[in-house]
Amino acid sequence: MLQNMDCVTLPFRRCLTVLFFYCLLIPFTSSAQHFKEDKITISGAIKNFDKEKNQHTVVFLINSAVNGTIKKTEVVDLGGKFKFESVIACPQDVVIQYDEISAEVFFRPGDRLNIELGGNPSFRIIEGDLARENRMIQEFLAERAAGKGYIKPKGASSLFEAWAADYTKYDAWSKLIKHYNTPGVTGDSISSFLSGYKMNELPVVSVPYIEFLSGLYSYFTRQADAGKSALFAQYAKERNFTGLGGLFSDHIKRKTKGLTKDLLFTMLYMDALNGEQLAEFKVLWSREPVFNPYLKKKIFEKSLELEAYLKKQQVKDASTLVQIGHTEGQSVLDSVVRRFPGKVIYADFWAPWCSPCMAAMPASKEVQQYYKNKDIVFVFFGNRCSDESWKATIANRELPGVHYNLSNDQYNLLASKFNINGIPHYLIIDKGGKVVNGNAPGPEQKESLKSELDLLLKQAVIGADKP
């Protein structure tokens, strides 16, 4: 959600290659329990906009423990104007990107702000709610970037002072958590730190808080409690999602409380649901529910959405599902070669819970369309996922091609044979049935992939070698 994860390390995660844009989801209240959704609006203009020379889009990014990164692109009209609207549940930052400009602005639910981009300075706040505070925030961030110390601006509001103090505190703490997450760092020093951390009183939370929270989440989901490392390794090897989630839950529950605990569990459960692990989520939820009403509501909404998603199992004609039973991994590959004699085969190892895999699917569709009616077959090996999730993803995403869902043993044998250390992973098999590239370019690498496939399509069938 908040940090790029290896698909092999943490199976719950959809492994979004999320840019670490700094936004947050924490309310301004001592109890930190109140969330209220309302619309925010950012309107503005590009100074001296030239439709022939200037960029025509402005990108806005919001991140949260509930919804992950929301990225929205707004088109600049011919007059150089743009408008962005979104719904947030509590005060948080929004990142604005235009050309080489990147700026952070602060909002409460219901706030409006008018800005100007591309002038001098390149980012200017014109008017709106919290305009004064946001100007101070820009000055504060510029001074920090220049390595200067903090000087309290004249007329600083209590809101800005709280924001600045919070930013400074969590900037230091996020670096501390990053240290604890460094490979090779041992010991349990984080426990003494957490014992003095106010987990349920968060008066003002600025940009670095999300780095701190995601660092905590990474800490709790990359390792188990002391004495359980062997069990952790076993569950990871077996792809036992419920077992891994249980270890993560125990770790979080033992060392956190209050809103911090609810946020970390929300991240864990949203990762499970985004990875289409509905059954695993239900087991984990039954053991440790989230109590914050807003977070609980969002988790349940996501679980109901996933239930509806998984019910769709009917695939379109462009998709072929092949049942393979308990055939050994090598035999599966042999059967694919026998099924498509004289064809070039492009094999994609993927899973519904793997975000890089899913992110590559639109490009895969384009490549398949490009080679339509050519002597090439696109084969997809789903792995470490339920038949329900596998079929639902193919049906909902309308994924063309020939699809197999490998068992854990089948995948492990093929992974060992072809040195597959993570997914997505791609193989190319020539017309004679020989694997000619065991680490082929992905569909996003269109030119290099097309170069290889075009060359193989021109070759005559030499023989039926085994892969």
Side-chain angles (χ1 to χ4, degrees), residues 55-214:
Q55 183 174 304
H56 285 248
T57 54
V58 182
V59 176
F60 300 86
L61 299 117
I62 301 176
N63 209 343
S64 77
V66 174
N67 298 316
T69 298
I70 298 172
K71 178 178 180 180
K72 189 173 181 182
T73 301
E74 299 292 350
V75 177
V76 179
D77 68 19
L78 295 179
K81 296 181 179 180
F82 58 87
K83 185 177 181 180
F84 165 77
E85 293 181 334
S86 186
V87 174
I88 62 174
C90 56
Q92 69 177 91
D93 287 354
V94 176
V95 174
I96 303 170
Q97 296 181 325
Y98 177 75
D99 200 8
E100 296 181 358
I101 301 166
S102 182
E104 299 161 13
V105 286
F106 185 71
F107 280 85
R108 300 164 303 189
D111 281 348
R112 303 172 66 89
L113 197 64
N114 183 256
I115 64 174
E116 180 184 82
L117 299 171
N120 187 17
S122 59
F123 174 76
R124 190 161 72 97
I125 296 168
I126 307 299
E127 62 180 358
D129 303 303
L130 297 184
R132 180 162 160 262
E133 283 79 8
N134 270 305
R135 291 189 189 103
M136 292 179 181
I137 287 172
Q138 302 312 308
E139 183 180 347
F140 172 90
L141 294 173
E143 289 180 349
R144 284 184 68 88
K148 299 179 181 178
Y150 170 61
I151 300 176
K152 180 180 176 180
K154 291 182 180 180
S157 66
S158 59
L159 176 60
F160 168 75
E161 287 187 43
W163 181 94
D166 187 84
Y167 187 104
T168 304
K169 176 175 65 178
Y170 280 106
D171 185 49
W173 286 1
S174 65
K175 291 179 173 64
L176 180 64
I177 295 300
K178 184 177 180 180
H179 167 72
Y180 289 135
N181 284 325
T182 302
V185 173
T186 58
D188 200 22
S189 303
I190 196 170
S191 295
S192 58
F193 166 75
L194 289 175
S195 65
Y197 170 57
K198 295 181 180 180
M199 298 189 189
N200 207 41
E201 293 185 2
L202 303 167
V204 180
V205 181
S206 57
V207 165
Y209 177 77
I210 206 65
E211 295 183 65
F212 170 75
L213 185 66
S214 66

Side-chain angles (χ1 to χ4, degrees), residues 177-413:
I177 295 300
K178 184 177 180 180
H179 167 72
Y180 289 135
N181 284 325
T182 302
V185 173
T186 58
D188 200 22
S189 303
I190 196 170
S191 295
S192 58
F193 166 75
L194 289 175
S195 65
Y197 170 57
K198 295 181 180 180
M199 298 189 189
N200 207 41
E201 293 185 2
L202 303 167
V204 180
V205 181
S206 57
V207 165
Y209 177 77
I210 206 65
E211 295 183 65
F212 170 75
L213 185 66
S214 66
L216 270 184
Y217 183 70
S218 179
Y219 176 83
F220 287 127
T221 56
R222 284 185 179 272
Q223 56 189 313
D225 277 326
K228 295 185 179 179
S229 56
L231 193 58
F232 178 92
Q234 177 187 335
Y235 287 155
K237 183 178 180 180
E238 295 172 350
R239 299 293 163 181
N240 183 334
F241 299 163
T242 305
L244 282 172
L247 291 180
F248 301 156
S249 297
D250 290 343
H251 209 184
I252 294 170
K253 183 168 60 176
R254 203 166 62 82
K255 295 185 178 179
T256 65
K257 60 184 178 182
L259 182 66
T260 298
K261 185 179 81 169
D262 273 357
L263 282 169
L264 291 170
F265 271 109
T266 297
M267 294 164 71
L268 179 66
Y269 295 151
M270 284 299 189
D271 280 342
L273 293 170
N274 285 330
E276 300 179 15
Q277 304 296 329
L278 183 61
E280 289 81 357
F281 156 73
K282 289 181 177 180
V283 171
L284 295 174
W285 178 271
S286 68
R287 298 172 182 170
E288 190 61 39
V290 166
F291 294 99
N292 180 279
Y294 177 78
L295 298 177
K296 183 177 181 179
K297 175 175 175 285
K298 288 298 180 182
I299 293 169
F300 279 177
E301 287 176 353
K302 184 65 179 179
S303 67
L304 291 174
E305 177 187 313
L306 178 57
E307 283 188 13
Y309 178 93
L310 292 174
K311 286 179 181 178
K312 184 176 179 181
Q313 300 278 309
Q314 188 62 44
V315 302
K316 294 200 169 183
D317 292 341
S319 306
T320 302
L321 307 187
V322 181
Q323 300 297 327
I324 52 177
H326 298 289
T327 309
E328 287 187 3
Q330 180 59 52
S331 298
V332 173
L333 202 56
D334 291 342
S335 69
V336 171
V337 171
R338 288 194 300 270
R339 181 177 179 138
F340 302 106
K343 303 280 189 180
V344 174
I345 299 170
Y346 182 65
D348 179 340
F349 291 81
W350 71 289
W353 47 262
C354 170
S355 281
C357 302
M358 300 312 302
M361 290 304 179
S364 178
K365 288 183 181 181
E366 291 179 11
V367 174
Q368 290 185 66
Q369 183 62 33
Y370 179 83
Y371 286 105
K372 190 175 182 179
N373 300 322
K374 300 288 181 66
D375 285 336
I376 182 169
V377 179
F378 293 85
V379 176
F380 295 83
F381 292 114
N383 58 88
R384 294 161 295 173
C385 60
S386 68
D387 276 349
E388 181 186 43
S389 174
W390 174 65
K391 290 179 183 177
T393 303
I394 297 167
N396 283 278
R397 302 294 185 99
E398 297 184 1
L399 304 180
V402 181
H403 293 269
Y404 297 76
N405 192 21
L406 302 177
S407 68
N408 287 354
D409 287 338
Q410 290 164 342
Y411 171 76
N412 289 337
L413 287 169

Side-chain angles (χ1 to χ4, degrees), residues 442-463:
E444 303 106 316
Q445 302 167 277
K446 292 180 183 176
E447 295 309 313
S448 57
L449 177 59
K450 286 179 180 178
S451 177
E452 286 195 44
L453 296 178
D454 287 345
L455 182 63
L456 291 171
L457 285 171
K458 293 176 183 176
Q459 294 177 353
V461 180
I462 299 175

